[in-house]
Amino acid sequence: MIGVSDRTAARPLESNPHPEAQWFNGAALGLFIHWGISSVHGHCDISWGMIADTPWTTEPKVKPEEYFRLAERFRPDKYDPDAWLKPAAEAGFTYAVLTTKHHDGYALWPSRHGDFGTRTHMNGCDLVRPFVDACRRHGLKVGLYYSPPDWYYNRHYMSFD
């Protein structure tokens, strides 16, 4: 029987062969915007701030219940993707990626799936569309990061310790 490490160790990395993905190999400079409800707190690591004893951060830790309550105060009234993306394009960035849902489970668009996001906390506001539109206005390729783990959904069963 072949172990997982045996199978993955011999497997070479392959480029995405899809014709519309070929721009990426020459893209060189991209902007990754890792943003969400943790910005309300201002001093905790996005999602990971509720996991005890993470060795990579000195940021303050928050209890999961406190972290999830940040959604009630998340009001990005100064959200202006053009202010982020215009200077990025002028500086030579060729693409930008927005975290549309991180491990905390908060969706930045009004998804019908799940009970944690702008649909339930911001009257259905879509924060992704303005980002996509701004990327296109400034000639940037659009990237959307979506994390499959959902700690909000699993909050009653998951150990944050």
Side-chain angles (χ1 to χ4, degrees):
M1 179 181 205
I2 298 174
V4 171
S5 61
D6 295 335
R7 285 184 295 189
T8 57
R11 190 174 177 190
L13 295 176
E14 297 177 18
S15 292
N16 183 338
H18 194 281
E20 292 182 22
Q22 298 314 302
W23 65 269
F24 187 75
N25 289 337
L29 191 58
L31 177 65
F32 195 111
I33 302 171
H34 212 65
W35 177 65
I37 63 172
S38 64
S39 62
V40 171
H41 188 280
H43 297 290
C44 70
D45 191 0
I46 188 169
S47 299
W48 295 100
M50 61 181 136
I51 301 293
D53 302 322
T54 52
W56 59 82
T57 184
T58 58
E59 298 294 328
K61 296 295 181 180
V62 296
K63 298 279 184 201
E65 304 82 36
E66 177 187 350
Y67 185 94
F68 293 131
R69 278 195 309 269
L70 294 174
E72 298 166 12
R73 298 185 355 236
F74 184 57
R75 299 287 175 263
D77 54 348
K78 295 181 180 159
Y79 176 58
D80 183 2
D82 282 301
W84 302 343
L85 300 170
K86 182 177 187 276
E90 290 169 352
F93 285 80
T94 56
Y95 68 99
V97 178
L98 175 67
T99 303
T100 61
K101 184 182 88 64
H102 200 255
H103 312 326
D104 61 12
Y106 191 88
L108 295 182
W109 78 100
S111 174
R112 295 177 315 204
H113 306 285
D115 295 326
F116 197 52
T118 63
R119 180 180 59 81
T120 56
H121 288 80
M122 292 182 59
N123 297 318
C125 178
D126 186 349
L127 298 171
V128 177
R129 170 54 59 188
F131 171 81
V132 170
D133 291 345
C135 281
R136 291 182 175 151
R137 269 192 300 279
H138 300 292
L140 297 169
K141 294 282 189 182
V142 177
L144 302 174
Y145 174 88
Y146 176 93
S147 178
D150 189 328
W151 294 349
Y152 182 79
Y153 179 80
N154 291 316
R155 68 193 180 282
H156 301 298
Y157 311 104
M158 184 174 162
S159 171
F160 293 91
D161 294 323

